[in-house]
Amino acid sequence: SNADTGPVLYGYAQITGSNQFGTHGPEGLIFGAHRIRLGVKGEAVPGVTYNFQYKWDGAYVTSPLNKTLGVSSVPGSSSGVQEAEINFGFIPAFQLEVGKFRVPLGMERTQFSGNNLWFIQRSMNQSLGADRSAGAAFHSPDVMGTGIYYKLGIFDNHSLNGNNAFNSGNTAIPFGAGQSGVGMAPVGGVLSNGSGHYLFAGMLGYKLNPLLNVEISGARADAKQFTALAASKNITAWNVGARGGLMGLKYMAEYSADVSPNGIEGAREQDWYVALAANLHEMTLTPDWLDLEPAVRFEKFRMVNNQTGVDASLANTTIGLNYYVNPNNPHAAEVQLNYVVPTQTAYWRTHRVAPVNGYIYNTLALQFQAGF
Amino acid sequence: SNADTGPVLYGYAQITGSNQFGTHGPEGLIFGAHRIRLGVKGEAVPGVTYNFQYKWDGAYVTSPLNKTLGVSSVPGSSSGVQEAEINFGFIPAFQLEVGKFRVPLGMERTQFSGNNLWFIQRSMNQSLGADRSAGAAFHSPDVMGTGIYYKLGIFDNHSLNGNNAFNSGNTAIPFGAGQSGVGMAPVGGVLSNGSGHYLFAGMLGYKLNPLLNVEISGARADAKQFTALAASKNITAWNVGARGGLMGLKYMAEYSADVSPNGIEGAREQDWYVALAANLHEMTLTPDWLDLEPAVRFEKFRMVNNQTGVDASLANTTIGLNYYVNPNNPHAAEVQLNYVVPTQTAYWRTHRVAPVNGYIYNTLALQFQAGF
Amino acid sequence: SNADTGPVLYGYAQITGSNQFGTHGPEGLIFGAHRIRLGVKGEAVPGVTYNFQYKWDGAYVTSPLNKTLGVSSVPGSSSGVQEAEINFGFIPAFQLEVGKFRVPLGMERTQFSGNNLWFIQRSMNQSLGADRSAGAAFHSPDVMGTGIYYKLGIFDNHSLNGNNAFNSGNTAIPFGAGQSGVGMAPVGGVLSNGSGHYLFAGMLGYKLNPLLNVEISGARADAKQFTALAASKNITAWNVGARGGLMGLKYMAEYSADVSPNGIEGAREQDWYVALAANLHEMTLTPDWLDLEPAVRFEKFRMVNNQTGVDASLANTTIGLNYYVNPNNPHAAEVQLNYVVPTQTAYWRTHRVAPVNGYIYNTLALQFQAGF
């Protein structure tokens, strides 16, 4: 946990093998690395904790490969600082967090790290969120033992990570005039002036008991920027989620809705999913040394644009099986197998696009994970 | 210290919030990350120490953001190896250091790391120095207990880091003919031939007692390179500095002068500053748990070019307040607040340029630091 | 070793100085960093080990230098994930390895890491191999105590690292149709479909005793790809090697041959070398504190192309001297000095090209290494 006093080194890697079917083109198994992370966390001094995480995601790609392929960048390759957060927890019910961290929007996004997901990919609602940004937040994981938790944050007017509703040319430029990032160097590598526009996000949750955790969250960002399109609009996002479990049986469900995602006038997006997992080991249905967990998720994503008349949905049914090598340390060595059956794929296949984390062809995906 | 026998992991992150005033454009608070560092140091075998430091500076920016902004690179974003030094200390008075490390030029530059600066930004004299380069140096931190220290270095004919007098198209190309970096691959990733031109730097200092540490340093680099401009000139840089303190009161002052910075014929640059800091906790003027340190710096930078007739100065007055959460481990968790008032800004605002670390608009800057 | 239970942090840096002679151009000493590595390895849970290694090679170059030089990339600069391997060793004679790791081809390539090479550069046969790729392999380091070892691997149809026979525009594209890397984003950063073409590699070796270790290995990859040239061919590579030693005297020899390297029709390449090293310390010919090791290697590389009529050879004679500061921990602090005399250089100098690791001018190279 973040409260460990020493610098604790942690990390993990995910090696994947995938194959799609019905693409009417070359098909076969492809290997890759999903997430490769290294982090350090600990307590700087009593009351102040830190968590710095570096990433080398999509590491199947190296610069020489880029050159070979004759393209300047290959999808998925991404390295840098994933998280850099400093927390001042002097008052437990009113803690201050600063840095680059998760915008408090979405239950799966904020409660599950990349190494403890039920399925290889998060749900498609990731594209309706804001991922991570640079900012500050007040928060508490449990207000005075009531089971209530909250986080209220202010961020630069965009998401630092791509592929979501808050990262867009309509909205993203976070800096203002003077010595900022446009036309004149910042001071010593630090951007010196903002745009006066912010991304605000808030989350409120309640953990009643293991059976029920409910949560509501929302975020908004100004579209008005000096390079914005005339028609760009403020972005609003909402999410409600519920999860819980008992004796190895777990459920999670979320509904998300965005107005003007990416600042696009007339656009709306919605997503909902229901996921179930049954840990046969916790249910004592398997031998003591065998930790298997079947899981299933049904998700539906919908994108509407009043201006263009587009109204496209995509459904993904994911059937999964998780195998934890050691039940006592399940995420240290883990194998995950997913088979995804997409439906309502016509629009997406025609336009050769897909929502984030959404499959538009039948896909078998296998992932090996080891961590420390 | 570098003499620790095991590999010691160290690092820190700096989260910033800044706002400029009077820019006649959009203004507001902007968040960011200044320096994010991870390092390993220790003793390889008795007598041989190492220090490798990696950086992810300007981490508010990730590749996806770059794409969103539609620019190929955003100022400040910089990652890579900050330091890679191996030291052979068999003879204490005559030690050999090789690798990428600080060119011995400038008191603040060489004596203060990024995580123990008095102000959020170093002084503007950074642009008159050479930052880091690849090379070798003989040195001693204290010659036979006399308080005298020195470092004499030879480096490739340029600075590896940008934004200073020794990094320029007039001077920087360090490699020669044959299997070097131009036109033909080096051997196994190693540049195989130099240009026969070098950056030489030397420093001599004396630590009399806590009240007085004086130091003089200088460096020169050849401008003559096979791609040089006809008018490019050798670069010469000088620095004198003094610092000291007693019972929580500290002072530091430097004067720097360059001839032909960046190899530009007819150019000269000068800089001087005086800085004071008063640690109220060491002065026992605050309660035992409160470690506050007001600080102030006045600095003046001047740039002259005989060829173009430019003669522009810039003054920065910085008022600071440092708060160390734990007086026993001050840099592990630290908050720094600076307000900078620039004067003589006309030339710089008109030309939309600024010396490194120099502010040309009134700026409020706040920095949170945590490290281990 | 990989069997350590905790996360073990390891790493090293190599600082170089080189000078070429007879180039008929500017010559001089040039400094640089060869390999700078940081890794974590350990046992995730009993039976599952991991090894993740990150690199910042060619670190004499930073982004600002790139800009200074006015070029978009400088040879040798390379950072990213060097290795990301997870090993399932439940059955010692039949272990499964997945991730990014060395293709089992070539004795020096697979048995010697970058920090324990006899010479500063590997032999030129590196260009006839496949370096690292993403895939899976079955292997055993010693089948039931017989001294026999093997590895059989399947990889994406190319080498992830450049400058070798299996990395080429004729062969490299590893992905197929659907949600792969061409034209449409992969899912959550993971490539989702392969091309149905693979790189297969196998190695079989026998360690009789310290005096003799023999090994044979081979690999092949399909050239047929949807962007392939009409004339591109499947690549085949073979390698036989032998090594051994007694009381400080060591030898190693390899012969390698490729058909259609890089998928080029009509091309063939061969390479052979013999290397000797004599550790004077192990031979007790030096004082106890002095660990010196002279070494010599003669290597000959030949490239033939039936279509173009090219038939060019290059010979490199390398004379080396290794100095280990501490005989008990030789690679923790090491200095290597090499002088290379190339012959048959006419073709290469005229065309301004060189085989990987091949010198075409007389070169003096010095390397300082420290590690932990």
Side-chain angles (χ1 to χ4, degrees):
Chain A
S1 88
N2 277 5
D4 288 312
T5 53
V8 173
L9 195 70
Y10 67 92
Y12 62 94
Q14 294 172 335
I15 307 301
T16 57
S18 293
N19 202 149
Q20 292 200 323
F21 304 98
T23 64
H24 301 290
E27 292 178 357
L29 191 66
I30 190 163
F31 299 100
H34 193 173
R35 298 178 184 89
I36 298 185
R37 303 285 171 86
L38 185 67
V40 187
K41 61 185 180 185
E43 189 179 72
V45 300
V48 182
T49 55
Y50 58 84
N51 182 13
F52 312 143
Q53 188 183 130
Y54 320 101
K55 67 173 169 180
W56 290 265
D57 290 4
Y60 47 85
V61 171
T62 54
S63 318
L65 177 61
N66 280 356
K67 286 176 197 159
T68 299
L69 294 176
V71 292
S72 60
S73 86
V74 172
S77 176
S78 173
S79 72
V81 170
Q82 182 70 344
E83 280 179 339
E85 53 189 24
I86 304 177
N87 192 64
F88 297 84
F90 301 116
I91 309 168
F94 200 68
Q95 307 185 26
L96 172 66
E97 185 178 12
V98 297
K100 181 192 175 187
F101 55 93
R102 288 177 183 156
V103 173
L105 179 64
M107 179 173 251
E108 186 192 36
R109 160 59 54 192
T110 51
Q111 293 197 18
F112 289 84
S113 294
N115 66 342
N116 63 10
L117 296 171
W118 296 6
F119 303 91
I120 293 173
Q121 301 292 353
R122 291 174 184 275
S123 59
M124 289 186 267
N125 77 7
Q126 183 170 330
S127 68
L128 282 73
D131 210 336
R132 288 173 175 83
S133 189
F138 287 104
H139 68 106
S140 175
D142 185 1
V143 181
M144 292 179 274
T146 57
I148 293 172
Y149 59 93
Y150 76 93
K151 188 175 276 197
L152 288 170
I154 176 172
F155 301 89
D156 290 336
N157 192 42
H158 67 113
S159 165
L160 278 181
N161 296 105
N163 300 321
N164 64 63
F166 292 85
N167 184 282
S168 159
N170 291 334
T171 58
I173 293 183
F175 36 79
Q179 286 175 279
S180 66
V182 177
M184 199 172 67
V187 183
V190 176
L191 294 173
S192 299
N193 200 13
S195 62
H197 297 277
Y198 303 100
L199 190 165
F200 294 100
M203 168 179 282
L204 181 66
Y206 181 40
K207 285 183 183 161
L208 180 66
N209 53 39
L211 264 173
L212 185 62
N213 170 192
V214 289
E215 183 182 290
I216 183 165
S217 54
R220 65 166 301 288
D222 281 347
K224 192 183 169 198
Q225 295 279 342
F226 48 105
T227 65
L229 302 177
S232 68
K233 296 290 176 194
N234 293 351
I235 304 166
T236 315
W238 287 97
N239 181 282
V240 291
R243 56 183 290 252
L246 198 67
M247 295 189 300
L249 197 66
K250 300 180 286 185
Y251 72 92
M252 178 158 54
E254 283 185 276
Y255 172 78
S256 312
D258 280 18
V259 179
S260 309
N262 305 109
I264 298 167
E265 189 177 14
R268 281 181 298 126
E269 289 181 352
Q270 297 161 22
D271 182 87
W272 65 267
Y273 74 85
V274 176
L276 292 169
N279 190 291
L280 305 182
H281 182 265
E282 291 179 45
M283 291 170 159
T284 65
L285 295 175
T286 53
D288 190 50
W289 52 268
L290 183 62
D291 191 348
L292 285 179
E293 183 181 77
V296 66
R297 176 175 62 191
F298 180 79
E299 179 170 21
K300 192 158 180 180
F301 177 91
R302 186 180 173 207
M303 179 178 80
V304 179
N305 188 317
N306 292 336
Q307 308 273 313
T308 60
V310 169
D311 185 345
S313 292
L314 177 67
N316 270 195
T317 303
T318 308
I319 299 155
L321 183 65
N322 302 324
Y323 166 56
Y324 307 105
V325 178
N326 187 331
N328 299 317
N329 195 2
H331 301 298
E334 181 179 350
V335 183
Q336 291 182 285
L337 182 70
N338 284 179
Y339 192 84
V340 187
V341 181
T343 43
Q344 298 181 273
T345 57
Y347 173 86
W348 313 95
R349 289 188 184 180
T350 305
H351 291 81
R352 296 183 60 76
V353 294
V356 170
N357 298 334
Y359 289 89
I360 63 174
Y361 293 95
N362 281 25
T363 308
L364 180 75
L366 180 66
Q367 181 168 288
F368 297 90
Q369 175 177 302
F372 55 92
Chain B
S1 89
N2 276 4
D4 289 312
T5 54
V8 173
L9 195 70
Y10 68 92
Y12 62 94
Q14 295 172 334
I15 307 301
T16 56
S18 293
N19 202 149
Q20 291 200 327
F21 304 98
T23 64
H24 301 290
E27 293 178 356
L29 191 66
I30 190 164
F31 298 100
H34 193 173
R35 298 179 184 88
I36 298 186
R37 303 285 171 85
L38 184 68
V40 187
K41 61 184 179 185
E43 188 180 73
V45 301
V48 182
T49 55
Y50 58 85
N51 182 14
F52 311 144
Q53 187 182 132
Y54 320 101
K55 67 174 170 180
W56 291 266
D57 290 3
Y60 47 86
V61 172
T62 54
S63 317
L65 177 60
N66 281 356
K67 286 176 197 159
T68 298
L69 295 176
V71 291
S72 60
S73 86
V74 172
S77 177
S78 173
S79 73
V81 171
Q82 182 70 344
E83 279 178 339
E85 52 188 26
I86 304 178
N87 191 64
F88 297 85
F90 301 117
I91 309 167
F94 200 67
Q95 306 186 26
L96 173 65
E97 185 178 12
V98 298
K100 181 193 175 188
F101 56 93
R102 287 178 184 155
V103 173
L105 178 64
M107 179 174 251
E108 185 191 37
R109 160 59 52 193
T110 51
Q111 294 198 16
F112 289 84
S113 294
N115 66 342
N116 63 11
L117 296 171
W118 297 6
F119 303 91
I120 293 173
Q121 301 293 352
R122 290 174 185 277
S123 58
M124 290 187 267
N125 77 7
Q126 182 169 331
S127 69
L128 282 73
D131 210 336
R132 289 171 174 84
S133 189
F138 287 104
H139 68 104
S140 176
D142 186 1
V143 181
M144 291 180 274
T146 57
I148 292 172
Y149 60 93
Y150 76 93
K151 187 175 274 196
L152 288 170
I154 177 172
F155 300 89
D156 289 336
N157 192 43
H158 68 111
S159 165
L160 279 180
N161 296 106
N163 300 322
N164 64 62
F166 292 86
N167 184 281
S168 159
N170 289 334
T171 59
I173 293 181
F175 36 79
Q179 287 175 280
S180 66
V182 178
M184 199 171 69
V187 182
V190 175
L191 294 172
S192 298
N193 199 13
S195 61
H197 297 277
Y198 303 100
L199 189 165
F200 294 101
M203 168 180 282
L204 182 65
Y206 181 39
K207 285 183 182 160
L208 179 66
N209 54 39
L211 265 173
L212 184 62
N213 170 193
V214 289
E215 184 181 291
I216 184 165
S217 54
R220 65 166 300 288
D222 281 347
K224 193 182 169 199
Q225 296 279 342
F226 47 105
T227 65
L229 302 177
S232 69
K233 296 292 176 191
N234 294 352
I235 304 167
T236 316
W238 288 97
N239 181 281
V240 291
R243 56 183 291 251
L246 198 66
M247 295 190 299
L249 197 65
K250 300 180 285 184
Y251 71 92
M252 179 157 54
E254 281 185 276
Y255 173 79
S256 312
D258 280 20
V259 178
S260 308
N262 305 109
I264 299 167
E265 188 178 14
R268 282 180 298 127
E269 289 180 352
Q270 298 162 21
D271 181 86
W272 66 267
Y273 75 85
V274 177
L276 292 170
N279 191 290
L280 304 183
H281 182 265
E282 290 180 45
M283 290 170 160
T284 65
L285 294 176
T286 53
D288 191 49
W289 51 268
L290 182 62
D291 192 349
L292 285 178
E293 184 180 76
V296 65
R297 177 174 63 192
F298 180 79
E299 179 171 21
K300 191 159 179 179
F301 177 92
R302 186 181 172 204
M303 178 178 81
V304 178
N305 188 315
N306 292 336
Q307 309 273 311
T308 59
V310 168
D311 186 344
S313 292
L314 177 67
N316 270 195
T317 303
T318 308
I319 299 156
L321 184 64
N322 302 324
Y323 166 56
Y324 308 105
V325 178
N326 188 329
N328 299 318
N329 196 2
H331 300 299
E334 181 178 351
V335 183
Q336 291 183 284
L337 182 70
N338 284 178
Y339 193 84
V340 187
V341 180
T343 44
Q344 299 181 274
T345 58
Y347 172 85
W348 313 96
R349 290 188 184 180
T350 304
H351 291 80
R352 295 183 60 75
V353 294
V356 170
N357 298 334
Y359 289 90
I360 63 173
Y361 292 95
N362 280 26
T363 308
L364 181 75
L366 180 66
Q367 181 168 288
F368 297 90
Q369 175 176 302
F372 53 91
Chain C
S1 90
N2 276 5
D4 288 311
T5 52
V8 173
L9 195 70
Y10 67 93
Y12 61 94
Q14 294 171 336
I15 308 300
T16 56
S18 293
N19 201 149
Q20 291 200 324
F21 304 97
T23 64
H24 301 291
E27 293 178 356
L29 190 66
I30 191 163
F31 298 100
H34 193 173
R35 299 178 183 88
I36 298 186
R37 303 285 171 85
L38 184 68
V40 187
K41 61 185 179 184
E43 189 179 72
V45 301
V48 182
T49 55
Y50 58 85
N51 182 14
F52 312 143
Q53 188 182 131
Y54 320 101
K55 67 174 169 180
W56 291 265
D57 289 3
Y60 47 86
V61 172
T62 54
S63 318
L65 176 62
N66 281 358
K67 287 176 197 161
T68 299
L69 294 175
V71 293
S72 60
S73 86
V74 172
S77 177
S78 173
S79 73
V81 170
Q82 182 71 345
E83 280 179 339
E85 52 189 25
I86 303 178
N87 192 64
F88 296 85
F90 302 117
I91 309 167
F94 200 67
Q95 307 186 26
L96 173 64
E97 185 178 13
V98 297
K100 180 192 176 187
F101 56 93
R102 288 178 183 154
V103 172
L105 178 64
M107 179 173 251
E108 186 192 37
R109 160 58 55 193
T110 52
Q111 293 198 19
F112 289 84
S113 295
N115 66 342
N116 63 10
L117 296 171
W118 297 5
F119 303 91
I120 293 173
Q121 301 292 352
R122 291 174 184 276
S123 59
M124 289 186 269
N125 77 6
Q126 182 170 332
S127 69
L128 281 74
D131 210 337
R132 288 171 175 85
S133 190
F138 287 103
H139 68 107
S140 175
D142 186 1
V143 181
M144 292 180 274
T146 58
I148 292 173
Y149 59 92
Y150 76 94
K151 188 176 275 197
L152 288 170
I154 176 172
F155 300 89
D156 289 335
N157 192 42
H158 67 112
S159 165
L160 278 181
N161 295 105
N163 300 321
N164 64 61
F166 292 85
N167 184 282
S168 159
N170 289 334
T171 59
I173 293 182
F175 35 80
Q179 288 175 279
S180 66
V182 177
M184 199 172 67
V187 183
V190 176
L191 293 172
S192 299
N193 199 13
S195 62
H197 298 278
Y198 303 100
L199 190 164
F200 294 101
M203 169 180 283
L204 182 66
Y206 180 39
K207 285 183 183 161
L208 180 66
N209 54 40
L211 264 173
L212 185 61
N213 170 193
V214 289
E215 183 181 292
I216 184 165
S217 54
R220 64 165 301 288
D222 281 346
K224 193 183 169 198
Q225 294 280 341
F226 46 105
T227 64
L229 302 177
S232 68
K233 296 291 176 191
N234 294 351
I235 304 166
T236 316
W238 287 96
N239 181 281
V240 291
R243 56 182 291 251
L246 198 67
M247 296 190 299
L249 198 64
K250 301 181 285 184
Y251 73 92
M252 177 158 55
E254 283 185 276
Y255 173 79
S256 313
D258 280 19
V259 179
S260 307
N262 305 110
I264 298 167
E265 188 177 15
R268 282 180 299 125
E269 289 180 352
Q270 297 161 21
D271 181 87
W272 65 266
Y273 74 86
V274 176
L276 292 169
N279 191 290
L280 305 183
H281 182 264
E282 290 180 46
M283 291 170 158
T284 65
L285 295 176
T286 53
D288 191 49
W289 52 268
L290 181 62
D291 191 349
L292 284 178
E293 183 181 75
V296 65
R297 177 174 63 192
F298 180 78
E299 179 170 23
K300 191 159 180 179
F301 177 92
R302 185 181 173 204
M303 178 178 81
V304 178
N305 188 317
N306 293 336
Q307 309 273 312
T308 60
V310 168
D311 185 345
S313 291
L314 176 68
N316 270 194
T317 303
T318 307
I319 299 155
L321 183 64
N322 302 325
Y323 166 55
Y324 308 105
V325 178
N326 187 330
N328 299 318
N329 196 1
H331 301 298
E334 181 178 351
V335 183
Q336 290 183 287
L337 181 70
N338 284 178
Y339 192 84
V340 187
V341 181
T343 44
Q344 297 181 274
T345 58
Y347 173 86
W348 313 96
R349 289 188 185 181
T350 304
H351 291 80
R352 295 182 61 75
V353 294
V356 171
N357 298 333
Y359 288 90
I360 63 174
Y361 292 95
N362 281 25
T363 308
L364 180 76
L366 180 66
Q367 181 168 289
F368 297 90
Q369 174 177 303
F372 53 93

